[in-house]
Amino acid sequence: MLQKSRNGKGRSVLVAGGAGFVGSHLCDALLSRGDRVLCVDSFITGSVTNVQPLANHPQFRLIEADICDLRSIDEPVDQIYNLACAASPPQYQADPVHTMMTCVAGTGNLLALAEYHNASFLQASTSEVYGDPAEHPQREDYRGNVSCTGPRACYDEGKRAAEALCFDLVRAGRVDARVARIFNTYGPRMQPHDGRIISNLLVQAITGKPLTIYGSGQQTRSFCFVSDLVAGLMALMNVTPNPQGPVNLGNPGEFTINQLAEMVHAMVPTAARIAYHPLPQDDPQRRRPDISKAKDLLGWEPRVPLAEGLRQTAAWFIATLGTQPVSGKRRAPPSARTRRSNVSIGV
Ligand code: NAD
């Protein structure tokens, strides 16, 4: 049932990072539920194109601002989602100090706004807080194995500090804050060149370039389709009582990067061979969420299988890049290490 805000209409919801990949899907979902959405974004990694279709929506408003500088907003809000932070390694490492400040100072500013407006708050944290995990799958009570000095620390440690801020304010009874630990998420509106594994492989396949795999390809990841994640974020924001601890949101299906590349190769007829490159520093070997807590507390679990989500994402990239996959004869298999599956993109 639609929860009403203090003025009796749909809720007023601030989405920081609302012009990004996940944030723009969240804005869509909130608007279709009848909420009013105030999207705050600096466009450092997001794109106005993501929210362009909402420009004339009477319940949507866009403010260009950096959350590190945001001290006030000129209207009351009932809920604040903080998704503002570059999420792909090349992007968050491009200006690591700004990434850290976004996580700490920016989150601090938004928490202050939440306290002032008595708004509920949801922090988009990450599975990166588990680092290169020594426990598998990762449960919320696992404390992680993170380097505080490496090139990923600006993000991993920044997100850990942001969690600490949230729970300090929860313990003090000052903000109703919730923390989602998000695992790899993919779907339409990912940026083609953001350096994430699914966008990398799909764009390379669609443009006929070699599919890049870092390391042996035996490292694993779990991939959640964006509509599933958005449903989880909204469920976590609205559940009562406050879970008072982090909640993993992700798809527990675990795939090696080689398996993912095989699926992409089989799905996109223009896919070329696979090229192996050295593994970057601090790249985790295994990732898979334990989502028991989300299932128990929120009644949430992902619904979209990887093959279906990949198909939708590939179709979106093909439309966006203006490239049609070549039909007809496929090239030779990319490498001895890959096998074909029978997935068909159907676009
Ligand atoms: P994204 O880069 O597409 O979106 C982030 C958005 O935040 C962008 O629109 C960007 O312009 C904006 N932003 C960044 N810094 C800002 C700042 N200082 N002030 C205002 N706006 C700022 O990334 P995404 O994949 O949509 O991720 C959204 C959130 O979810 C991030 O916080 C990320 O850490 C978290 N997350 C995402 C994933 C994933 O797989 N997509 C996984 C774990 C966590």
Side-chain angles (χ1 to χ4, degrees), residues 15-221:
V15 182
F21 157 53
V22 177
S24 60
H25 286 278
L26 177 62
C27 290
D28 289 346
L30 292 166
L31 288 168
S32 43
R33 196 181 59 175
D35 289 341
R36 174 170 160 68
V37 172
L38 187 58
C39 169
V40 175
D41 206 295
S42 65
F43 300 108
I44 189 167
T45 56
S47 162
V48 81
T49 320
N50 288 339
V51 287
Q52 194 68 49
L54 306 177
N56 294 323
H57 195 295
Q59 298 276 87
F60 181 78
R61 188 176 156 210
L62 178 63
I63 297 179
E64 184 171 353
D66 190 312
I67 60 166
C68 298
D69 306 321
L70 192 70
R71 300 279 188 274
S72 63
I73 40 168
D74 56 8
E75 59 180 279
V77 288
D78 302 300
Q79 297 185 333
I80 297 177
Y81 288 85
N82 181 18
L83 278 71
C85 186
S88 86
Q91 291 180 333
Y92 70 64
Q93 289 171 21
D95 187 347
V97 174
H98 183 257
T99 300
M100 176 63 86
M101 295 312 289
T102 293
C103 291
V104 182
T107 302
N109 285 342
L110 292 174
L111 281 163
L113 287 180
E115 184 175 17
Y116 180 79
H117 289 282
N118 194 24
S120 301
F121 184 92
L122 186 142
Q123 170 67 11
S125 188
T126 170
S127 58
E128 302 292 333
V129 300
Y130 299 122
D132 189 1
E135 284 185 16
H136 194 76
Q138 290 79 54
R139 289 166 45 93
E140 289 86 349
D141 53 10
Y142 175 54
R143 293 188 179 181
N145 176 29
V146 178
S147 161
C148 66
T149 56
R152 302 172 76 107
C154 58
Y155 183 76
D156 303 2
E157 295 289 8
K159 290 285 188 177
R160 286 167 72 97
E163 287 199 14
L165 275 176
C166 289
F167 291 116
D168 281 337
L169 292 176
V170 169
R171 265 189 300 275
R174 289 169 53 184
V175 179
D176 172 21
R178 291 112 195 277
V179 170
R181 288 187 178 157
I182 300 171
F183 285 66
N184 279 14
T185 301
Y186 69 100
R189 298 189 197 151
M190 295 183 89
Q191 294 166 46
H193 305 295
D194 66 4
R196 296 191 233 194
I197 181 67
I198 287 194
S199 46
N200 269 1
L201 292 176
L202 282 174
V203 171
Q204 288 165 342
I206 290 164
T207 55
K209 302 210 173 82
L211 307 190
T212 309
I213 290 186
Y214 295 97
S216 68
Q218 290 306 317
Q219 66 273 34
T220 66
R221 294 290 186 275

